Amino acid sequence: MSGVPGVSGGNNLPAGPSGDQSRAPSSGDGTEPGRATVTIASYPDYPSAQYTVDFLSDNQFPVERAAIVGTDLTLVETVLGRMTTGRAALAGAATGAWFGLFIGLLFGIFTVGNWWAVILVGLAIGAVWGAIFGAIAHAMSGGRRDFTSASSLRANQYAVTVDATFADQARQVISRMNWPGQRPAGATG
């Protein structure tokens, strides 16, 4: 289909997810047997695929029969900074403080007297023990991981797939799609 960015032909993919997160898949590999899917469009970024599914939804297409499938996945680990024993203790103290606050609140509910003191003591004890365990855990790593990081999965391609029985209907709907910033057909300028 010309004029619509990223729209591809009827590439068949293995049976894929229906997009309905409330149902558990019927087999262990995440696919439902007997449900063939067809790729109706493919994009280099997720927002374009999301825009397509939103457009299908706005045009009364049964989007529970659609899925966005990220392919060619890459794990990206972004290094955030250096991890020292002091920073590990500080991170442990923060985690311990939250846990101590929770325990303090639980005990504070049943305290007749000064319940604020119970909450503050729980918070302080949690912070101290968290700092101790954080420092010990980092020291025991022997310097094998002296940095903090955040991991994410990124896909190089995003395919919009639908059940094979709805593929023609989906292609007809997305052929009418106007992309943001795209001039209408026949416009000169």
Side-chain angles (χ1 to χ4, degrees):
M1 290 180 196
S2 62
V4 179
V7 175
S8 63
N11 297 336
N12 287 328
L13 292 177
S18 67
D20 185 1
Q21 298 296 323
S22 63
R23 283 191 311 217
S26 57
S27 65
D29 63 354
T31 62
E32 294 184 35
R35 289 188 66 184
T37 59
V38 175
T39 300
I40 58 164
S42 185
Y43 305 98
D45 59 5
Y46 181 79
S48 297
Q50 182 180 350
Y51 179 77
T52 299
V53 174
D54 186 52
F55 186 80
L56 289 169
S57 177
D58 292 345
N59 286 278
Q60 311 310 313
F61 181 82
V63 290
E64 63 274 4
R65 300 298 186 180
I68 299 173
V69 180
T71 57
D72 195 13
L73 297 177
T74 304
L75 174 66
V76 178
E77 184 172 8
T78 305
V79 177
L80 301 174
R82 183 175 156 82
M83 178 60 77
T84 62
T85 303
R87 285 188 181 186
L90 189 61
T95 302
W98 278 110
F99 184 70
L101 177 65
F102 174 70
I103 297 298
L105 285 170
L106 285 178
F107 282 125
I109 291 172
F110 302 107
T111 301
V112 177
N114 190 358
W115 58 275
W116 277 105
V118 173
I119 292 172
L120 291 175
V121 167
L123 185 120
I125 291 172
V128 168
W129 280 106
I132 291 169
F133 284 119
I136 290 171
H138 182 267
M140 289 179 65
S141 72
R144 285 186 302 270
R145 183 143 173 115
D146 283 341
F147 61 92
T148 60
S149 63
S151 297
S152 64
L153 280 177
R154 296 186 188 154
N156 287 332
Q157 196 72 16
Y158 295 88
V160 177
T161 64
V162 297
D163 289 357
T165 54
F166 292 93
D168 290 333
Q169 179 186 357
R171 284 190 191 106
Q172 288 173 358
V173 172
I174 66 171
S175 70
R176 300 187 311 257
M177 191 165 40
N178 290 323
W179 286 90
Q182 180 183 25
R183 286 185 300 193
T188 59

